[in-house]
Each structure stands twice: as structure tokens, then as C-alpha cells.
Amino acid sequence: MNDPRTFDANATGTTPFGDLPEWDLTDLYPAPDSKEIKRDQDWLEDACRSFATDYEGKLAGLDADGLLEAVKRYEQIDIIAGRIMSYAGLRYYQHTTDPERAKFMSDMQDKITTYTTPLVFYGLEFNRLDDAHIEALLAANADLARYKPVFDRMRAMKPYQLSDELEKFLHDQSVVGSAAWNKLFDETIAGLKFTVNGDELNIEGTLNLLSEQDRSTREAASRELARVFGENVGLFARVHNTLAKEKEVEDRWRGLPTPQTGRHLSNHVEPEVVEALRNAVVDAYPRLSHRYYALKAKWMGLETMEVWDRNAPLPMEADRTVPWDEAQQTVMDAYAAFDPRMADLAKPFFTDGWIDAGVKDGKAPGAFAHPTVTTVHPYVMLNYLGKPRDVMTLAHELGHGVHQVLAAEQGELLSSTPLTLAETASVFGEMLTFRKLLDQAKDATERKVLLAGKVEDMINTVVRQIAFYDFECKLHAARAQGELTPDDINALWMSVQGESLGPVFNFMDGYETFWAYIPHFVHSPFYVYAYAFGDGLVNALYAVFEEQGEAFKDKYFDMLKAGGSKHHSELLAPFGLDASDPAFWAKGLSMIEGMIDELEAME
């Protein structure tokens, strides 16, 4: 039977939800064999070589103007390398099982790694400069002082850097290390096939069935996911064992005190802030997820909920498909209602080929917004299947896109936002869309469905992600003691599930393997707490918006424009917020509690 979730990768974009947009990547390059790509590769190879010739062993002798020139040359190299890899990566994610696209991406990765090896000296040599010397240079040149946040992040790694020779080796070796295991994971996941009720589906189509109204369909999808994950669990365990061990070896050589330290440093966030967030959320499990899911079980007429009921629509929820045009209008209206500037920034995503929305054979699962480079523009990837949650995903990824467009004004080296703040605009975009829909609710039933959907999204963003973080912490700690069998990893996964979801859940046989498909564990260890950070931050920000109204908006846009040029404490200060204060996280979590209170009061 033909299923809309597996239409051909080269289809025109016509689906049951309307014509879905596809990427136009020509803003990056006209084609993989274009003269423009060859030109940029040749330029990059020469620029990296000449940079090393001009500066290796000479950074200490540069004056402020000379260092500024070096930084600008390095930034231009970053732009060209990023442009090439963005193009290769976006083509690959459109169709990860296409050998030509996989080869092109690998070849580009290999070449750029080789070209940029001569640059490894730069960060190492810079970190050997005396603090007072750097401060004097920054004081002498205001344009150079702009880059202080970049230098601060580089110097945060100073205690953990290795010899120049070892750093070059790690740089060269990365393409056959973590990058290769990442690619194996991506291609394996994209190539998995699931048969549910006679239909052959990819992973995205199968996961989508977990939010179907029909309970038997949800159960069939869950059991099929468990079956296929179970068949492949050995390979996924090998990926996790290898990556966790590789990380442990590198961390040990660098002297990083914990497996999480590298992520905290790259996020420019203090470990105690993350710990305060984690503890506040775990402490709130009974008041949030346990209480909500008990309420949901009651609505569904169930004594015990199964894992396939977690994301089920409510019994009173209309089982309808949201056409793409309606999803676009909903999000754009919500953005415009907040501030017309936000809608103007979002518009080109729809009109200029910046979104790839359809589910296609071999396409990477999930959704993301990729900033590419500051001289081009972001691209958004979705797997749109017409669910109400897909509308929220569109609002989320567009928020990232708007943030990335605004932050691009900072230039390549300062635009990138730490993960902790990278989720701010995305979650805020979701909140705007939710509030707009809530204001338009026609009756108590529709309000209840919207509130319940938002609470579930917040639980998925806050509770689930902190449970994921705890799983990763346990996984890396256990791997440091020795090789982990699939059963070992399964047990670690289950150790956080009941605690986070609550006593109302029964966990089917096979659910213990569901860690296997989550890409963040593979691509970005300990990334997941950024979602909870972002959600808590946005809840607190939205409360400030409700208090301040118009006065909030310019401050909000200024925060997004800042990109990675300021620490989270500086960015939050204008709003009177402080992420190091446990009360900050309590404020964000109380918003979720308030929604559950309202749902309980409706009973």
C-alpha cells in the first residue's frame, strides 16, 4: 500500500498536506561539480597554507593591528570552509542513503580537514600568550576588542590543550574517528525500514504513528520500533561504546575533570548553573510529569499507561491533518502579532527556498535550522506530516532561523550562540504560536486540548531532556569502567524512565532499546540539557514580556542580535534574570505547574 510518509526523494513536493517546499541550495553553490566549489577549495587550500606561513611562531610579536588582521583572515577561512561543508551536509541530509551525496560529503570533509591542519597552531599559540599582553592589545584597538568573547572561549580551553603535534594528530584523525561513527549512525538510522499494518515506513513515518488517535496503531508502531531497534542494538551499542571511549581517552589526555566539562566550556556556562537546572527539574518530576500523566490516564480511561500512550492525542481531540499553508499562516500570524519585524525575518524561509519540509526516502529524521555561514542565510529542515505538533516544530525551527539571521550581523566568529541560548528564540517562537492559538480557542474543550499539548511539549523539552542528560552521565561514567553490552545500556536507559515519567507508566518489553535512535547522544554529547535550559529561560522571559509589553521587544531583539558576543549573564541582565539563581529555574517550572493546575481545575 502506498503511504504518504515514504514518497520518492525526487518528488515535486506534492503531498496530502499540500505542496511542501524544498531547499534551493544554489545560494551556497550551483552544483557539486561547479567551478565555484573548485574555486573556493583552491582558495581555501592556499589561504590556510599562507596563514600558517605568515603567523606560525609569530603571534607573540604582533601588535594590535597585526593580530586584528590575523583574526580577520582566520574568519574569512572559517566562512569559506563553512560554506563548502554546509552545502555538502545539507545535500547529504536530504538523502543520506544516496552514495553520491555521502561520497561528496566525505570527500569535502577529508579535503577541508587536510587544508585546515596548518591552522591548528593558531589557537594553541594564542593560548600561550600572556594575559597581560592580550589585555594590552585589546585596550589598544577597539575593533580587536570586539573579538574578546572569541578569545575568552579559546582561553577557557587553555588548561586542557595538548602539544601542537598531538593537536594536529587529533585534527587529522577526526575524519576516521567520531565523524565516521556519526555518519555510520546517520546512514543506519535513515536506512531502517519498519512494517506497520502492511505499510513499509522509514523511522520518521513510524515515530509519527505514536501520536495517532487509534491506540492499536500506536501499539503496533511501538512494537515494530522495538523489534527493529532490537535487531540493530548491537551496532548502536558499538557506536556508543566507541564514541564514549574515544571521548574518555581524549578527555583524560586533556585533563578535563568530567565528561560534561567540554560541553559546559563550549556552552560558556558554569557547571553549577547546569547542576541547579538539573536538580530543580528532577525535584519537580512529581509536580510535573507524574501529575500530568496521571491526569492524562484518567482522560483516556486507563489505570496504567503504556509507552505508546505518552504522545497520544487526547480522546476529545479532533483527529485532523493541518495543511502546510495553514501551518505557515498560523506561525506567521503569531510572529507578526508579537512584532512585524519577526514576521519579516521569517518570510524568506517560505518564499526563497530556505525550507525543506517533506518526508522523503533516505532523508535524515527530525528537524533542524542550520545557520550555514553569515554571508549566506540559514536553512530549515522539517519532516512535515500535518500533525498539530508539526506546526509547533515549524514555529520552533523558524525561531532558530530568525535568531541566526539576526546574529549574522556579528560576523562569523561572534555569531554562533552557545547551545544554552541557542534554544531561546526557537522555544519563544513556539510559545508565541501556542499563546496565539490559545487566545483563539473557541471553547473549553479546545482550550484544554491546547493546554495539554503545550504541557506535553514542555515535559518533552524539560523533563525528558534532563532524564536524557542523566542517562548520558550514567552511560559515560559506566563506559569509563569498561565495555558496555547492549543490556548494560538498556538498563541505564530504563533507570531514568520510570523516575522521570512516573508510576502510571508500564514499560513494554523492547522499550529498553529506545535510546538507540536519539541522535544527540551520538552527535553532541550532553547537548540535551540545552533544551531544558532554553525552555526554563523562555518561560521566565515570557513572564517578563507579559509584565513589560512593548518595552520588552527591543531588548529581546538586541539579545538575539548579540549572537555569541555576550555571556548569558550579560544577555539576561536587562530582563532582571539570573540563571545562576535556583529561583530562576523555579520560576520557569512554575509556569508548567500553573498550566497543569488549570487542567486539573477543568475536571
Side-chain angles (χ1 to χ4, degrees):
M1 178 178 166
N2 216 3
D3 188 278
R5 286 169 283 263
T6 55
F7 54 85
D8 183 70
N10 300 311
T12 60
T14 302
T15 72
F17 334 110
D19 286 346
L20 296 181
E22 296 188 348
W23 279 331
D24 176 3
L25 298 179
T26 56
D27 287 348
L28 290 164
Y29 291 104
D33 57 355
S34 65
K35 65 180 187 298
E36 288 86 350
I37 279 199
K38 178 72 170 68
R39 175 202 68 204
D40 281 0
Q41 285 181 67
D42 291 345
W43 180 91
L44 188 65
E45 184 175 20
D46 181 63
C48 292
R49 192 167 45 232
S50 63
F51 185 91
T53 301
D54 293 346
Y55 295 116
E56 190 164 10
K58 303 168 189 170
L59 287 187
L62 296 177
D63 61 12
D65 291 346
L67 183 57
L68 178 62
E69 177 64 23
V71 170
K72 286 184 170 178
R73 282 175 64 178
Y74 189 91
E75 189 164 40
Q76 191 56 37
I77 286 169
D78 227 27
I79 288 171
I80 299 302
R83 188 176 191 134
I84 294 169
M85 282 317 301
S86 293
Y87 179 69
L90 292 173
R91 282 186 80 245
Y92 171 72
Y93 285 122
Q94 272 185 306
H95 198 175
T96 61
T97 51
D98 175 9
E100 183 275 322
R101 294 183 189 221
K103 173 180 164 48
F104 181 73
M105 187 166 101
S106 288
D107 288 348
M108 291 303 103
Q109 222 161 18
D110 288 350
K111 285 184 178 181
I112 285 173
T113 301
T114 302
Y115 296 161
T116 55
T117 296
L119 304 181
V120 172
F121 82 90
Y122 173 67
L124 304 172
E125 197 172 312
F126 182 85
N127 279 352
R128 287 196 287 268
L129 299 178
D130 184 68
D131 286 347
H133 176 65
I134 292 173
E135 283 168 23
L137 293 177
L138 295 178
N141 189 310
D143 289 335
L144 182 66
R146 269 194 75 241
Y147 291 95
K148 185 177 185 300
V150 179
F151 300 149
D152 287 346
R153 283 196 284 274
M154 285 167 66
R155 289 176 85 76
M157 285 303 294
K158 182 178 180 177
Y160 312 113
Q161 69 186 33
L162 302 171
S163 70
D164 292 15
E165 191 176 31
L166 268 176
E167 292 288 359
K168 285 179 179 175
F169 168 75
L170 286 173
H171 177 85
D172 278 358
Q173 184 260 353
S174 64
V175 293
V176 291
S178 57
W181 289 96
N182 276 226
K183 201 179 300 174
L184 174 64
F185 173 83
D186 288 339
E187 289 169 6
T188 303
I189 285 287
L192 293 179
K193 296 296 180 191
F194 305 83
T195 304
V196 184
N197 298 335
D199 293 333
E200 187 180 84
L201 307 170
N202 62 11
I203 191 167
E204 200 66 48
T206 312
L207 290 168
N208 183 62
L209 296 180
L210 300 182
S211 55
E212 285 289 315
Q213 188 68 260
D214 180 64
R215 194 172 190 228
S216 64
T217 300
R218 298 197 305 269
E219 179 179 356
S222 296
R223 295 198 183 282
E224 178 65 358
L225 286 164
R227 182 188 71 79
V228 176
F229 294 157
E231 287 180 355
N232 292 275
V233 74
L235 188 149
F236 291 123
R238 170 60 46 227
V239 170
H240 281 68
N241 267 293
T242 305
L243 287 172
K245 183 62 180 177
E246 182 187 54
K247 187 177 192 318
E248 185 271 324
V249 170
E250 185 172 332
D251 286 355
R252 177 160 37 86
W253 274 73
R254 291 190 181 284
L256 289 159
T258 74
Q260 299 84 359
T261 301
R263 176 62 62 204
H264 299 336
L265 286 169
S266 68
N267 281 345
H268 214 43
V269 67
E270 300 73 24
E272 54 271 21
V273 171
V274 178
E275 193 66 12
L277 163 64
R278 183 259 170 206
N279 291 343
V281 174
V282 172
D283 185 57
Y285 284 170
R287 305 193 304 277
L288 301 178
S289 45
H290 297 191
R291 187 159 65 114
Y292 173 75
Y293 287 127
L295 199 55
K296 184 170 183 175
K298 189 172 149 190
W299 293 333
M300 297 178 76
L302 299 170
E303 289 287 321
T304 303
M305 283 175 71
E306 301 291 339
V307 291
W308 54 80
D309 297 318
R310 187 172 62 81
N311 285 329
L314 302 186
M316 72 288 289
E317 192 170 333
D319 189 14
R320 79 180 195 94
T321 295
V322 182
W324 174 254
D325 288 349
E326 183 185 330
Q328 176 181 338
Q329 195 67 47
T330 299
V331 175
M332 287 294 281
D333 286 352
Y335 277 27
F338 171 70
D339 192 301
R341 287 175 289 178
M342 190 174 273
D344 290 343
L345 289 160
K347 188 179 178 184
F349 286 86
F350 296 102
T351 57
D352 295 2
W354 298 5
I355 300 179
D356 197 280
V359 177
K360 309 168 198 176
D361 240 2
K363 184 177 175 181
F368 61 75
H370 180 40
T372 72
V373 288
T374 52
T375 52
V376 188
H377 57 75
Y379 284 91
V380 163
M381 192 193 86
L382 306 169
N383 278 274
Y384 189 82
L385 288 161
K387 296 280 184 188
R389 275 198 175 91
D390 291 342
V391 181
M392 288 300 171
T393 302
L394 172 61
H396 180 102
E397 300 305 340
L398 263 189
H400 277 307
V402 165
H403 193 176
Q404 289 160 357
V405 169
L406 287 168
E409 297 173 16
Q410 294 290 340
E412 194 67 24
L413 295 180
L414 285 162
S415 64
S416 183
T417 310
L419 294 180
T420 39
L421 292 162
E423 294 300 329
T424 307
S426 53
V427 180
F428 197 82
E430 279 189 78
M431 182 65 85
L432 293 174
T433 305
F434 162 70
R435 294 289 180 181
K436 180 82 172 166
L437 292 170
L438 197 64
D439 289 344
Q440 295 171 348
K442 295 186 287 291
D443 53 37
T445 300
E446 191 175 331
R447 184 176 179 85
K448 183 176 184 176
V449 167
L450 284 166
L451 273 173
K454 185 59 178 170
V455 168
E456 289 195 20
D457 286 344
M458 287 170 146
I459 287 172
N460 282 334
T461 305
V462 178
V463 169
R464 291 280 286 164
Q465 301 304 328
I466 290 300
F468 286 176
Y469 177 66
D470 279 355
F471 164 72
E472 283 192 275
C473 292
K474 291 182 176 189
L475 176 80
H476 285 262
R479 182 62 183 93
Q481 303 306 310
E483 175 90 6
L484 301 175
T485 66
D487 284 346
D488 292 335
I489 303 177
N490 292 348
L492 295 175
W493 173 253
M494 293 309 295
S495 73
V496 302
Q497 294 302 307
E499 178 194 17
S500 60
L501 295 177
V504 77
F505 274 98
N506 181 57
F507 297 100
M508 68 169 187
D509 287 345
Y511 181 69
E512 65 274 6
T513 62
F514 274 46
W515 53 270
Y517 78 94
I518 296 168
H520 300 90
F521 300 156
V522 174
H523 292 298
S524 308
F526 307 108
Y527 178 110
V528 288
Y529 72 74
Y531 288 111
F533 196 109
D535 201 276
L537 173 55
V538 165
N539 288 346
L541 273 177
Y542 200 84
V544 175
F545 168 49
E546 290 183 313
E547 292 162 14
Q548 296 185 355
E550 284 298 317
F552 172 89
K553 295 178 183 178
D554 282 344
K555 287 190 280 190
Y556 179 70
F557 278 103
D558 286 344
M559 180 175 75
L560 300 189
K561 286 175 186 173
S565 68
K566 292 181 180 177
H567 187 263
H568 64 78
S569 56
E570 291 177 83
L571 290 173
L572 294 178
F575 304 98
L577 299 172
D578 176 7
S580 65
D581 181 358
F584 170 82
W585 299 113
K587 185 174 186 177
L589 295 171
S590 69
M591 181 180 283
I592 310 176
E593 284 188 71
M595 290 182 183
I596 300 173
D597 290 343
E598 185 176 345
L599 287 167
E600 284 184 337
M602 288 178 167
E603 290 304 294

